[in-house]
Amino acid sequence: MSDALWYFARGSGVVSLVLLTVVVALGIGARSGRTAFSLPRFAVNLLHRNAALLAVVFLVLHVVSLLFDPYAQLRLFDLVLPFAGNYRPLWQGLGTLGLDLMIAIVVTSLLRHRIGARAWRAVHWLTYLCWPVALMHGLGTGSDNGTVWLWAISLVCAAGVLAAVVWRLTPNFTRFPRRAKRLRLLEEVR
């Protein structure tokens, strides 16, 4: 049984990282004001939200399976306080920090209408910190941290986020392309 939990914990952690990568890339795309992947904006937002929910589900499965895995020996205390674990405290602490950040993002998203858009957005920016923390946690801890397949997945995830950031920072990028087009038309008329 412990082998099954260990494999499940590893797999669910990797799936959570891949989904979090998709969430970050789609979040960048959704904020851009331009259509991403030839999808309408509402579809990008819907995909972003659903991928985020699925990433949280896999993160919870990852953590719960590690709690019950006798090999990992994870304590409830390790889930709350970063860098206090017995096993590779730095790398495990990054995982705890990522979990804590994700909890803050989920809670504020659930309370978005009560706390206001500005407060929600401020906390939601933590996603940009949560993603690299999760990436480093995955590369630094566990029995797969030196394997080619994990590094390959991590490099693809990093390339995906980097591509989204580069796309967002292109010089001809305008946050509101329709507004920019209307302004150009008005200038041509004058």
Side-chain angles (χ1 to χ4, degrees), residues 91 94 131-141:
W91 303 112
L94 288 173
W131 179 82
V133 164
L135 181 69
M136 290 186 297
H137 164 72
L139 289 174
T141 193

Side-chain angles (χ1 to χ4, degrees), residues 12 30 37 40 63 77 81 84 105 113 117 126-127 131 135 152 167 184:
S12 57
F37 314 110
V63 171
F77 183 73
L81 190 62
I105 293 163
H113 297 293
L126 291 175
T127 306
W131 179 82
L135 181 69
W167 176 73
R184 277 193 304 267

Side-chain angles (χ1 to χ4, degrees), residues 32-178:
S32 69
R34 294 190 287 183
T35 58
F37 314 110
S38 301
L39 293 172
R41 190 169 181 183
F42 79 89
V44 173
N45 288 334
L46 188 62
L47 189 57
H48 170 76
R49 188 188 73 209
N50 289 338
L53 290 172
L54 202 53
V56 169
V57 167
F58 275 95
L59 179 62
V60 168
L61 292 172
H62 172 67
V63 171
V64 168
S65 60
L66 285 173
L67 273 174
F68 290 106
D69 182 23
Y71 178 75
Q73 297 180 2
L74 200 62
R75 305 168 298 184
L76 283 173
F77 183 73
D78 297 332
L79 301 179
V80 180
L81 190 62
F83 313 109
N86 295 327
Y87 177 75
R88 296 182 181 169
L90 172 66
W91 303 112
Q92 184 180 338
L94 288 173
T96 302
L97 181 62
L99 175 66
D100 293 345
L101 291 171
M102 188 66 79
I103 289 170
I105 293 163
V106 168
V107 167
T108 56
S109 291
L110 291 172
L111 298 174
R112 182 179 183 177
H113 297 293
R114 295 198 177 185
I115 64 173
R118 182 173 286 168
W120 172 81
R121 192 174 300 113
V123 174
H124 206 75
W125 276 88
L126 291 175
T127 306
Y128 293 111
L129 177 62
C130 187
W131 179 82
V133 164
L135 181 69
M136 290 186 297
H137 164 72
L139 289 174
T141 193
S143 58
D144 297 316
N145 65 345
T147 59
V148 173
W149 68 267
L150 182 63
W151 277 90
I153 290 172
S154 299
L155 286 173
V156 168
C157 289
V161 170
L162 183 63
V165 168
V166 167
W167 176 73
R168 176 67 172 87
L169 296 176
T170 54
N172 60 354
F173 182 85
T174 56
R175 182 154 176 235
F176 302 104
R178 290 185 189 141

Side-chain angles (χ1 to χ4, degrees), residues 8-26:
F8 184 78
R10 291 161 49 200
S12 57
V14 171
V15 170
S16 184
L17 174 65
V18 170
L19 286 168
L20 189 57
T21 300
V22 170
V23 169
V24 170
L26 288 172

